[in-house]
Amino acid sequence: MAVSSISSVVEDVYAIHPEKRLTLFFLVTGLVALLVGALLGPLQALNYAGVDLYKNFPFLKSYYQGLTIHGVLNALVFTTFFISGLLLYLPARELNLRPNMAWSWSAYFIMTAGLLMAALAVLANTSNVLYTFYPPLSGHWAFYLGLALVVVASLMVGYEVLRLRNRWKREHPDEVTPIVTYMSLVTWLMWGLASIGIVIEVVVFLLPWSLGLIDGVDPLLARTLFWYTGHPIVYFWLLPAYVSWYGLVPKQAGGKLVSDSLTRLAFLMFLLFSIPVGFHHQFTDPGIPAAWKMIHSLLTMFVGIPSMLTAFTVAASLETGGRARGGKGLLGWIGVLPWGKASFTAQVLAMISFIFGGAGGFVNASFNLDQLVNNTAWIPGHFHLTVGTAVTLTFMGLTFWLVPHLTRKPLYSNRLALYASWIWFVGMMVFATGMHWQGLLGFPRRAYISSLEGVYTEGALAKVLTGVSGVILLVAVVLYFTVLFGTLFAKARLSESEAPAIPFVDAVRIRSEGVLKFMDNLLVWVVLAALLVLVAYLPTLIDQFLNQVPIQGAKLW
Ligand code: HAS
Ligand code: CU
């Protein structure tokens, strides 16, 4: 009797919105990947403090196997699953349309199959090629195929969002796309264009190569195709966080989104400028003309602009919240923001970390300054502030309302969630300080330095910071997942009215409908973006295709 009454409640929760269950599956699978990957993080941090925990570590054969698992699960798998759940669910609910469930579940299963293939390949010690899998390092075909399936499945989700919006548009021909759907769809369109590079790299080169169908791969061409996708992928991670910063967090703060059109403009700029900048990852690669590197360096400065617009718009929107809550004076609105709410605080801490992550990005983007930091510990310092904090802490903050919303189970503990968020933030700031500093001292990235004696002995304080941060972050991981699983496995159910609603923001429209309609014509913007990509990439790609020097694979483990 008890069992049947519980299961009938379960049916109730998902009956009206079956997409809730699908979203939960996407989120939780991604978060489990994050858990596994994040647990290996402290080993890496301690490595940079000169402490070697890899020797005799159960399950791990080498530092590089650990680093590959960490990077693939955290940067590629966690993000893609989480984003697929989030950026399908929000538009579906905003438009009040049900996604095609068979299609969307297929995407989930294909993505999961891909994850399992890639994970098994790495666990079996066959593919310690890191998350960038540069040839001539060669992995098992299952690794490449698995990752390709993850990408394909994500594109299926994106396609479903496009279909949802087109359905909506047919019913509302004279209206502009609602703001959260607009941001989500632009993110998917950008990703659709951006994924072409990695798809070609894997399907045309790496898969046939790993299956023995072709003898070699040209490392430079492979890297160029990789970074064609590898830069915009960072915006595929960031923009869903922005969807929340613009579209949800101001409402959580009790405020409004101060400008609808500025928000859309920022997303259009990301669509235009996210892709034609990939050479900023290849400033030190030979075989790419310096002039093109300079052009990509300049375009990278352009793609910084929408983030600066975001800093302005989001801060101003939070200010409207603070003022509505009675905040006075120049900064008085900040103290009265809802800092006691873990979901809000996690996301604002994520924003603050991004101020520093973004500043470092401009150093990297400068053709000349990058010569100093390229391939040093500075770079992981940079991306743990961006993807590791701005994005990940935002996603954590989202789960604090989203998981209760989806499951109608109460958040396990707002207080623990607050601790987890602050400790994650502090841990990452300390890690980034240590790693940026070590980078300036010349510590290489991706190096098993704890196994070396007599080298990299300088920078004692920087090393301590990096090492200590690993321990701090471990505490944050334990706390966060206690909250997550405590919520997921709770027996209690909230009533429909008690469960948190989606905090869709009210956006202030200061422009005429005409401007918004112009921006709503997304096909035009996609074509423009594609043209810009062709200009920025085609000459170099043609040259590299015609002058390939394929070399055989290497297994260094
Ligand atoms: Fe980056 C390398 C340049 C952003 C991730 N980046 C990486 C790598 C990763 C990564 C993973 O140009 C390493 C790849 C590898 O393995 O080799 N990056 C940039 C630039 C930006 C940037 C110019 N990166 C990101 C984001 C990432 C990410 C976002 C992940 C999500 N990056 C580079 C370059 C390299 C690079 C070179 C290659 C270097 C090399 O040598 O290999 C810009 O997009 C940054 C713009 C950001 C801002 C900050 C805006 C601030 C905001 C917060 C506002 C705060 C508020 C709070 C509102 C302009 C929006 C208010 C507070 C209250 C209390 C009210
Ligand atoms: Cu980049």
Side-chain angles (χ1 to χ4, degrees):
M1 181 61 207
V3 172
S4 72
S5 67
I6 288 178
S7 68
S8 68
V9 176
V10 172
E11 288 315 313
D12 280 346
V13 171
Y14 299 111
I16 313 168
H17 290 294
E19 66 275 17
K20 281 189 173 177
R21 180 183 273 137
L22 172 68
T23 306
L24 195 66
F25 269 74
F26 268 121
L27 300 187
V28 174
T29 313
L31 289 162
V32 170
L34 174 70
L35 172 62
V36 178
L39 285 175
L40 293 176
L43 268 71
Q44 261 109 243
L46 286 164
N47 168 58
Y48 272 87
V51 180
D52 184 0
L53 293 187
Y54 286 93
K55 259 189 256 153
N56 308 323
F57 192 84
F59 315 116
L60 286 184
K61 299 266 187 311
S62 68
Y63 166 78
Y64 289 99
Q65 191 187 14
L67 190 55
T68 304
I69 297 175
H70 178 75
V72 169
L73 288 185
N74 285 356
L76 305 180
V77 172
F78 156 60
T79 49
T80 309
F81 271 89
F82 197 97
I83 292 163
S84 296
L86 184 72
L87 291 201
L88 176 62
Y89 186 69
L90 293 178
R93 293 305 306 273
E94 191 185 33
L95 301 178
N96 205 8
L97 290 174
R98 178 173 297 173
N100 180 330
M101 294 310 292
W103 172 270
S104 309
W105 274 109
S106 310
Y108 172 78
F109 286 116
I110 293 173
M111 199 179 281
T112 306
L115 160 61
L116 292 176
M117 285 174 79
L120 286 176
V122 180
L123 288 174
N125 204 31
T126 64
S127 306
N128 301 341
V129 292
L130 305 178
Y131 82 123
T132 42
F133 44 88
Y134 292 145
L137 285 179
S138 69
H140 195 275
W141 60 263
F143 176 79
Y144 301 122
L145 183 59
L147 290 186
L149 290 179
V150 171
V151 172
V152 168
S154 73
L155 295 174
M156 288 174 66
V157 177
Y159 181 65
E160 182 56 26
V161 175
L162 178 63
R163 270 205 304 222
L164 282 177
R165 184 266 193 169
N166 287 349
R167 248 167 74 194
W168 184 89
K169 199 76 182 170
R170 275 196 296 277
E171 287 159 24
H172 307 81
D174 297 325
E175 291 173 44
V176 289
T177 310
I179 185 97
V180 168
T181 305
Y182 186 86
M183 292 187 277
S184 306
L185 182 58
V186 172
T187 306
W188 283 118
L189 292 172
M190 187 282 288
W191 176 234
L193 211 53
S195 59
I196 296 170
I198 216 165
V199 169
I200 296 179
E201 186 198 5
V202 172
V203 174
V204 178
F205 295 103
L206 300 184
L207 256 182
W209 180 54
S210 58
L211 288 165
L213 301 175
I214 55 174
D215 288 338
V217 172
D218 180 79
L220 178 61
L221 175 57
R223 284 166 73 93
T224 305
L225 289 169
F226 181 86
W227 287 117
Y228 170 100
T229 302
H231 179 76
I233 205 175
V234 313
Y235 296 121
F236 176 56
W237 304 331
L238 179 71
L239 296 188
Y242 277 12
V243 170
S244 180
W245 296 2
Y246 280 107
L248 309 171
V249 179
K251 176 84 168 191
Q252 289 177 297
K256 287 184 158 72
L257 175 56
V258 294
S259 171
D260 184 313
S261 47
L262 207 53
T263 304
R264 291 172 200 254
L265 179 67
F267 272 73
L268 286 182
M269 290 186 75
F270 279 116
L271 178 59
L272 290 178
F273 297 119
S274 286
I275 306 172
V277 300
F279 292 165
H280 72 218
H281 293 269
Q282 298 183 280
F283 283 154
T284 57
D285 282 16
I288 297 171
W292 282 113
K293 290 180 179 170
M294 279 308 296
I295 291 170
H296 281 225
S297 178
L298 187 71
L299 286 169
T300 307
M301 303 303 167
F302 275 58
V303 81
I305 295 171
S307 282
M308 291 193 265
L309 291 181
T310 301
F312 167 78
T313 311
V314 172
S317 302
L318 293 181
E319 182 178 348
T320 64
R323 300 230 178 264
R325 300 166 74 89
K328 299 260 179 313
L330 191 59
L331 298 175
W333 57 271
I334 296 177
V336 297
L337 289 170
W339 295 104
K341 294 229 168 75
S343 173
F344 173 83
T345 298
Q347 298 190 67
V348 176
L349 292 176
M351 295 173 196
I352 292 169
S353 75
F354 194 48
I355 298 173
F356 301 97
F362 289 113
V363 171
N364 306 344
S366 319
F367 195 11
N368 45 357
L369 289 181
D370 184 60
Q371 308 296 318
L372 183 68
V373 298
N374 178 253
N375 268 330
T376 71
W378 170 285
I379 304 295
H382 162 69
F383 68 69
H384 283 78
L385 288 177
T386 51
V387 63
T389 317
V391 173
T392 304
L393 193 50
T394 297
F395 288 0
M396 290 172 166
L398 273 164
T399 60
F400 297 147
W401 70 261
L402 183 53
V403 173
H405 164 84
L406 294 172
T407 57
R408 294 231 316 254
K409 294 181 177 190
L411 184 68
Y412 178 71
S413 161
N414 181 61
R415 181 193 291 249
L416 276 195
L418 266 175
Y419 286 151
S421 310
W422 275 102
I423 297 174
W424 185 276
F425 172 74
V426 171
M428 281 298 186
M429 294 307 279
V430 175
F431 176 81
T433 309
M435 288 292 271
H436 278 94
W437 191 353
Q438 284 183 278
L440 293 179
L441 292 170
F443 283 68
R445 66 183 285 194
R446 310 170 140 164
Y448 186 19
I449 60 168
S450 58
S451 67
L452 307 173
E453 284 197 14
V455 278
Y456 304 120
T457 48
E458 62 280 64
L461 181 56
K463 277 181 165 174
V464 169
L465 289 177
T466 306
V468 166
S469 74
V471 182
I472 302 176
L473 284 162
L474 185 61
V475 175
V477 170
V478 171
L479 289 176
Y480 173 73
F481 283 96
T482 305
V483 173
L484 179 73
F485 290 121
T487 308
L488 285 172
F489 292 123
K491 290 270 181 303
R493 294 278 182 178
L494 301 166
S495 68
E496 189 70 54
S497 59
E498 289 165 338
I502 306 175
F504 283 127
V505 82
D506 305 309
V508 178
R509 290 201 169 164
I510 45 177
R511 292 274 159 225
S512 69
E513 288 274 308
V515 175
L516 297 177
K517 279 192 178 140
F518 179 58
M519 293 200 268
D520 219 32
N521 199 345
L522 284 169
L523 185 62
V524 173
W525 296 98
V526 171
V527 170
L528 273 178
L531 285 176
L532 196 55
V533 171
L534 284 180
V535 171
Y537 262 104
L538 211 54
T540 310
L541 272 178
I542 290 178
D543 183 48
Q544 292 186 3
F545 263 101
L546 296 178
N547 295 294
Q548 292 181 53
V549 186
I551 61 173
Q552 288 184 343
K555 267 205 163 116
L556 303 179
W557 62 93

